[in-house]
Amino acid sequence: MLVKWIRCSVTDRPGFERGQRKWAGLLGEPGFRGQGGGWSRKRPEVAHVFGFWESRAFYDSFMARAHDRLAAGQTGTYADMQVLLFERQFDVKVGFEPRFGDVDVVRVAHCQVHADRVEHFTLMQEKVWNPAMAGSPGMLRGVFGQAPGHEFLVLSMWNSAAEHGKYREERVRRLGTRAEVDTDIAALAGDVVAIEPSWTV
């Protein structure tokens, strides 16, 4: 499965939201699995959208055909956009499905990993982070993806911002020490996204 992460600095919030609802036109596209997103809880002008496709081939076909028509509705509503694509490596918790109906917030972490630490980083995700998240109240499901090179995405869905906050306060520092994140990771960026139900496709 291909995971698409879009991050925009929005200049016209009502216009952007109107355009976002037009992405309902994705329904019925071959290989499309789901899409959702919302606003950054830290920076209110930043929007995040997460899209899921069965494969890169289906995604490339959509981009060549229907993408520009759907995207036209948001022209002029944002100042800049970053688009990143990741191939799913494994699920965070069992049985990931790209559904957003029960999700309050999404935590997204973008990790640039030192080349000689990729194997260790991936192992720690599987053996340390995933079990901790999967066992946390309020954590619904998630996905771990890799881009070409040494870039990784960790996306986790939570049923409440409060439960995610408790996990972060109580466990993240201890788990980070155990997983040796400071040794593995060259750069880390992330955000907590408040899901907008009307953006879900």
Side-chain angles (χ1 to χ4, degrees):
M1 184 168 64
L2 187 75
V3 184
K4 182 178 185 176
W5 173 30
I6 306 161
R7 183 172 57 202
C8 299
S9 295
V10 175
T11 53
D12 171 8
R13 189 165 170 143
F16 184 88
E17 291 201 305
R18 278 195 304 274
Q20 196 58 42
R21 288 192 283 275
K22 292 179 180 171
W23 288 96
L26 284 165
L27 287 172
E29 281 289 333
F32 173 70
R33 296 285 307 278
Q35 182 167 287
W39 298 101
S40 166
R41 287 173 58 92
K42 291 187 287 191
R43 298 174 57 203
E45 79 286 0
V46 173
H48 297 268
V49 179
F50 308 99
F52 301 86
W53 294 81
E54 278 179 31
S55 70
R56 181 65 188 255
F58 280 122
Y59 170 74
D60 286 344
S61 172
F62 161 73
M63 291 298 290
R65 290 180 299 97
H67 173 270
D68 291 357
R69 175 175 50 80
L70 291 173
Q74 286 172 307
T75 302
T77 64
Y78 54 87
D80 66 81
M81 174 186 285
Q82 181 185 31
V83 178
L84 296 170
L85 300 173
F86 300 86
E87 287 285 352
R88 177 175 71 174
Q89 302 299 305
F90 47 78
D91 296 343
V92 181
K93 211 165 184 176
V94 177
F96 177 79
E97 288 290 331
R99 294 183 290 107
F100 290 85
D102 52 353
V103 179
D104 182 33
V105 296
V106 166
R107 163 65 179 165
V108 57
H110 179 211
C111 308
Q112 311 232 13
V113 177
H114 295 293
D116 61 338
R117 300 290 294 185
V118 164
E119 194 175 326
H120 181 265
F121 174 79
T122 304
L123 183 68
M124 290 300 99
Q125 184 63 42
E126 216 167 347
K127 302 296 185 190
V128 175
W129 292 105
N130 281 13
M133 275 196 276
S136 295
M139 193 278 181
L140 300 170
R141 55 193 165 273
V143 66
F144 177 80
Q146 183 173 6
H150 317 303
E151 287 187 62
F152 295 85
L153 177 80
V154 185
L155 187 142
S156 56
M157 299 175 167
W158 300 76
N159 68 7
S160 82
E163 289 294 353
H164 173 259
K166 276 192 269 184
Y167 164 77
R168 192 170 57 186
E169 287 166 20
E170 293 168 7
R171 308 189 74 179
V172 165
R173 186 172 296 160
R174 180 169 48 81
L175 291 167
T177 301
R178 187 174 155 208
E180 300 176 27
V181 291
D182 291 341
T183 308
D184 287 353
I185 294 176
L188 173 64
D191 211 343
V192 178
V193 184
I195 292 301
E196 288 284 346
S198 64
W199 298 10
T200 298
V201 184

